[in-house]
Amino acid sequence: MTLLAITVLGHDRPGIIAETTEQLAALGLNLEDSSMTLLRGHFAMTLICAGDSEAAVVEEALAPLTADGTLTVTVREVPPGHAEQAPGSAWVLTVHGGDRPGIVSAVAHEIAQVGGNITDLTTRLAGDLYLLIAELDLPATADVPALEAALKAAAQQLGVGVTLREAEADDL
């Protein structure tokens, strides 16, 4: 069984997901994990698939997606297995305020300082308003009040608001 990471990037148009997944299913690949989104009119998709097809065969099957030059497809074999995760808890971080460089860097730095892992991150820009929503895994040893204080200090320097709350099952 081979595990493949597949990316599809480019100008959005109807049918990209259908065309991609039809080819993968025809090759007998199982879609195990995915993330798909629009980023300012550009489509971005990352898939992890398992099956018996080699990367070159999958890349060839997906080549028609790239024929008009608006999409780029990559296929890479990735090692199997999951990273061992220490016991901890799931949290949701939101940041909102005026857009400026360094927001993601500042909050990611504070999370990394306590050994936290960002498992999902989405940002949106609506005019001058910037919104960041992140799902975090914090280790059981993390000092959450200290992290909150550090995040608030970073947010204050950036002129944005920040909230950190424990995730509930329906959040994830």
Side-chain angles (χ1 to χ4, degrees), residues 4 15 29 31 48-49 54 56 75 98 110-111 119 127 158 162 167:
L4 300 170
L29 292 172
L31 179 58
I48 300 294
C49 296
E54 294 182 13
V75 181
E110 298 303 335
I111 295 161
T119 59
L158 292 164
V162 64

PDB file of all heavy atoms in Angstrom, residues 4 15 29 31 48-49 54 56 75 98 110-111 119 127 158 162 167:
ATOM      1  N   LEU A   4       0.112   8.598  -0.817  1.00  0.00           N
ATOM      2  CA  LEU A   4       0.489   9.682  -1.711  1.00  0.00           C
ATOM      3  C   LEU A   4      -0.082  11.011  -1.242  1.00  0.00           C
ATOM      4  O   LEU A   4      -1.240  11.084  -0.818  1.00  0.00           O
ATOM      5  CB  LEU A   4      -0.023   9.408  -3.128  1.00  0.00           C
ATOM      6  CG  LEU A   4       0.473   8.137  -3.797  1.00  0.00           C
ATOM      7  CD1 LEU A   4      -0.304   7.882  -5.079  1.00  0.00           C
ATOM      8  CD2 LEU A   4       1.965   8.238  -4.078  1.00  0.00           C
ATOM      9  N   GLY A  15     -15.846  21.812 -11.342  1.00  0.00           N
ATOM     10  CA  GLY A  15     -15.478  20.470 -11.775  1.00  0.00           C
ATOM     11  C   GLY A  15     -14.110  19.973 -11.357  1.00  0.00           C
ATOM     12  O   GLY A  15     -13.783  18.810 -11.592  1.00  0.00           O
ATOM     13  N   LEU A  29      -7.616   4.397  -5.632  1.00  0.00           N
ATOM     14  CA  LEU A  29      -7.037   5.099  -4.487  1.00  0.00           C
ATOM     15  C   LEU A  29      -8.127   5.511  -3.510  1.00  0.00           C
ATOM     16  O   LEU A  29      -9.203   5.956  -3.903  1.00  0.00           O
ATOM     17  CB  LEU A  29      -6.272   6.340  -4.942  1.00  0.00           C
ATOM     18  CG  LEU A  29      -5.008   6.051  -5.741  1.00  0.00           C
ATOM     19  CD1 LEU A  29      -4.430   7.332  -6.313  1.00  0.00           C
ATOM     20  CD2 LEU A  29      -3.983   5.339  -4.880  1.00  0.00           C
ATOM     21  N   LEU A  31      -9.279   8.071  -0.670  1.00  0.00           N
ATOM     22  CA  LEU A  31      -9.038   9.413  -0.171  1.00  0.00           C
ATOM     23  C   LEU A  31      -9.133   9.377   1.349  1.00  0.00           C
ATOM     24  O   LEU A  31     -10.213   9.224   1.912  1.00  0.00           O
ATOM     25  CB  LEU A  31     -10.068  10.373  -0.767  1.00  0.00           C
ATOM     26  CG  LEU A  31     -10.016  11.825  -0.356  1.00  0.00           C
ATOM     27  CD1 LEU A  31      -8.663  12.428  -0.671  1.00  0.00           C
ATOM     28  CD2 LEU A  31     -11.113  12.586  -1.065  1.00  0.00           C
ATOM     29  N   ILE A  48      -4.457  13.261   0.822  1.00  0.00           N
ATOM     30  CA  ILE A  48      -3.629  12.103   1.166  1.00  0.00           C
ATOM     31  C   ILE A  48      -4.447  10.884   0.747  1.00  0.00           C
ATOM     32  O   ILE A  48      -5.570  10.697   1.211  1.00  0.00           O
ATOM     33  CB  ILE A  48      -3.294  12.040   2.668  1.00  0.00           C
ATOM     34  CG1 ILE A  48      -2.529  13.287   3.123  1.00  0.00           C
ATOM     35  CG2 ILE A  48      -2.513  10.757   2.983  1.00  0.00           C
ATOM     36  CD1 ILE A  48      -1.140  13.438   2.526  1.00  0.00           C
ATOM     37  N   CYS A  49      -3.886  10.104  -0.164  1.00  0.00           N
ATOM     38  CA  CYS A  49      -4.575   8.933  -0.711  1.00  0.00           C
ATOM     39  C   CYS A  49      -3.735   7.686  -0.489  1.00  0.00           C
ATOM     40  O   CYS A  49      -2.507   7.746  -0.507  1.00  0.00           O
ATOM     41  CB  CYS A  49      -4.808   9.108  -2.213  1.00  0.00           C
ATOM     42  SG  CYS A  49      -5.885  10.475  -2.615  1.00  0.00           S
ATOM     43  N   GLU A  54       1.562   3.883  -8.193  1.00  0.00           N
ATOM     44  CA  GLU A  54       2.785   4.655  -7.991  1.00  0.00           C
ATOM     45  C   GLU A  54       2.523   6.116  -8.326  1.00  0.00           C
ATOM     46  O   GLU A  54       1.633   6.449  -9.115  1.00  0.00           O
ATOM     47  CB  GLU A  54       3.901   4.103  -8.868  1.00  0.00           C
ATOM     48  CG  GLU A  54       4.331   2.708  -8.472  1.00  0.00           C
ATOM     49  CD  GLU A  54       5.475   2.201  -9.338  1.00  0.00           C
ATOM     50  OE1 GLU A  54       6.085   3.005 -10.069  1.00  0.00           O
ATOM     51  OE2 GLU A  54       5.743   0.994  -9.264  1.00  0.00           O
ATOM     52  N   ALA A  56       4.032   8.246 -10.246  1.00  0.00           N
ATOM     53  CA  ALA A  56       4.112   8.582 -11.669  1.00  0.00           C
ATOM     54  C   ALA A  56       2.825   8.211 -12.405  1.00  0.00           C
ATOM     55  O   ALA A  56       2.375   8.945 -13.290  1.00  0.00           O
ATOM     56  CB  ALA A  56       5.310   7.894 -12.315  1.00  0.00           C
ATOM     57  N   VAL A  75       2.276  15.067  -7.266  1.00  0.00           N
ATOM     58  CA  VAL A  75       2.007  13.802  -6.587  1.00  0.00           C
ATOM     59  C   VAL A  75       3.334  13.326  -5.995  1.00  0.00           C
ATOM     60  O   VAL A  75       4.326  13.192  -6.713  1.00  0.00           O
ATOM     61  CB  VAL A  75       1.453  12.733  -7.564  1.00  0.00           C
ATOM     62  CG1 VAL A  75       1.165  11.436  -6.814  1.00  0.00           C
ATOM     63  CG2 VAL A  75       0.216  13.240  -8.283  1.00  0.00           C
ATOM     64  N   GLY A  98      -7.396  44.814  12.180  1.00  0.00           N
ATOM     65  CA  GLY A  98      -6.846  45.386  10.967  1.00  0.00           C
ATOM     66  C   GLY A  98      -5.745  44.505  10.397  1.00  0.00           C
ATOM     67  O   GLY A  98      -4.940  43.934  11.131  1.00  0.00           O
ATOM     68  N   GLU A 110       3.988  32.044  19.623  1.00  0.00           N
ATOM     69  CA  GLU A 110       3.566  31.847  21.014  1.00  0.00           C
ATOM     70  C   GLU A 110       3.059  30.426  21.241  1.00  0.00           C
ATOM     71  O   GLU A 110       3.317  29.824  22.279  1.00  0.00           O
ATOM     72  CB  GLU A 110       2.504  32.875  21.416  1.00  0.00           C
ATOM     73  CG  GLU A 110       2.978  34.310  21.364  1.00  0.00           C
ATOM     74  CD  GLU A 110       4.206  34.602  22.215  1.00  0.00           C
ATOM     75  OE1 GLU A 110       4.465  33.878  23.207  1.00  0.00           O
ATOM     76  OE2 GLU A 110       4.924  35.570  21.886  1.00  0.00           O
ATOM     77  N   ILE A 111       2.342  29.884  20.271  1.00  0.00           N
ATOM     78  CA  ILE A 111       1.833  28.515  20.383  1.00  0.00           C
ATOM     79  C   ILE A 111       2.988  27.515  20.396  1.00  0.00           C
ATOM     80  O   ILE A 111       3.017  26.580  21.198  1.00  0.00           O
ATOM     81  CB  ILE A 111       0.837  28.224  19.243  1.00  0.00           C
ATOM     82  CG1 ILE A 111      -0.396  29.114  19.407  1.00  0.00           C
ATOM     83  CG2 ILE A 111       0.464  26.747  19.191  1.00  0.00           C
ATOM     84  CD1 ILE A 111      -1.222  29.275  18.163  1.00  0.00           C
ATOM     85  N   THR A 119      -3.198  22.531  14.131  1.00  0.00           N
ATOM     86  CA  THR A 119      -3.671  21.429  13.288  1.00  0.00           C
ATOM     87  C   THR A 119      -4.529  21.901  12.123  1.00  0.00           C
ATOM     88  O   THR A 119      -4.747  21.153  11.173  1.00  0.00           O
ATOM     89  CB  THR A 119      -4.458  20.405  14.118  1.00  0.00           C
ATOM     90  OG1 THR A 119      -5.573  21.067  14.731  1.00  0.00           O
ATOM     91  CG2 THR A 119      -3.566  19.783  15.192  1.00  0.00           C
ATOM     92  N   GLY A 127     -11.918  43.370   3.082  1.00  0.00           N
ATOM     93  CA  GLY A 127     -11.540  44.791   3.135  1.00  0.00           C
ATOM     94  C   GLY A 127     -10.277  44.915   3.958  1.00  0.00           C
ATOM     95  O   GLY A 127      -9.268  44.283   3.661  1.00  0.00           O
ATOM     96  N   LEU A 158       0.157  44.143  17.828  1.00  0.00           N
ATOM     97  CA  LEU A 158      -0.289  44.142  16.437  1.00  0.00           C
ATOM     98  C   LEU A 158      -1.576  44.936  16.223  1.00  0.00           C
ATOM     99  O   LEU A 158      -1.995  45.145  15.086  1.00  0.00           O
ATOM    100  CB  LEU A 158      -0.506  42.698  15.957  1.00  0.00           C
ATOM    101  CG  LEU A 158       0.751  41.854  15.830  1.00  0.00           C
ATOM    102  CD1 LEU A 158       0.388  40.372  15.730  1.00  0.00           C
ATOM    103  CD2 LEU A 158       1.564  42.295  14.626  1.00  0.00           C
ATOM    104  N   VAL A 162      -7.737  38.913  20.196  1.00  0.00           N
ATOM    105  CA  VAL A 162      -7.453  37.480  20.192  1.00  0.00           C
ATOM    106  C   VAL A 162      -8.300  36.794  21.255  1.00  0.00           C
ATOM    107  O   VAL A 162      -8.538  37.356  22.327  1.00  0.00           O
ATOM    108  CB  VAL A 162      -5.941  37.205  20.428  1.00  0.00           C
ATOM    109  CG1 VAL A 162      -5.501  37.661  21.800  1.00  0.00           C
ATOM    110  CG2 VAL A 162      -5.606  35.745  20.229  1.00  0.00           C
ATOM    111  N   ALA A 167     -11.811  23.746  22.796  1.00  0.00           N
ATOM    112  CA  ALA A 167     -12.728  23.300  21.745  1.00  0.00           C
ATOM    113  C   ALA A 167     -13.737  22.318  22.334  1.00  0.00           C
ATOM    114  O   ALA A 167     -13.403  21.499  23.184  1.00  0.00           O
ATOM    115  CB  ALA A 167     -11.967  22.650  20.609  1.00  0.00           C
TER     116      ALA A 167
END
